[in-house]
Amino acid sequence: MDSESIGFGALFVGQLVGTIVFVVGLFMGGLTIVTYVGIAIIMLAIVGLALSTTFETREQSVGKTGRREHTHFPLGRGSK
């Protein structure tokens, strides 16, 4: 398994745990400290996903030369 996929999976599990804490806290007593902890866990997981996606995209784009590769098809415009 790739290390990036493990990181994404862990952040999704964090969102799941935060959602469970949020819902349980909401049903147990309304807007209590437990509910706010659930919201904080969800928000941290979302920020972590956004940051990991941003850094992964930057790492992939660093290796590119910036030039477009042209593919030539044998049957296209100008072929006679």
Side-chain angles (χ1 to χ4, degrees), residues 12-24 34-35 37-43 45:
F12 281 124
V13 168
Q15 274 188 322
L16 180 66
V17 168
T19 303
I20 291 170
V21 170
F22 172 73
V23 169
V24 167
V34 175
T35 308
V37 168
I39 292 171
I41 293 171
I42 294 169
M43 294 304 289

Side-chain angles (χ1 to χ4, degrees), residues 1-69:
M1 212 175 209
D2 197 10
S3 65
E4 286 90 12
S5 63
I6 292 172
F8 281 119
L11 290 169
F12 281 124
V13 168
Q15 274 188 322
L16 180 66
V17 168
T19 303
I20 291 170
V21 170
F22 172 73
V23 169
V24 167
L26 197 63
F27 283 120
M28 293 293 286
L31 291 176
T32 60
I33 195 72
V34 175
T35 308
Y36 291 124
V37 168
I39 292 171
I41 293 171
I42 294 169
M43 294 304 289
L44 287 174
I46 290 172
V47 168
L49 283 170
L51 287 176
S52 64
T53 304
T54 302
F55 290 133
E56 182 178 327
T57 304
R58 284 187 189 165
E59 289 174 2
Q60 289 177 355
S61 65
V62 167
K64 295 184 179 179
T65 61
R67 296 183 301 167
R68 287 181 55 184
E69 293 183 16

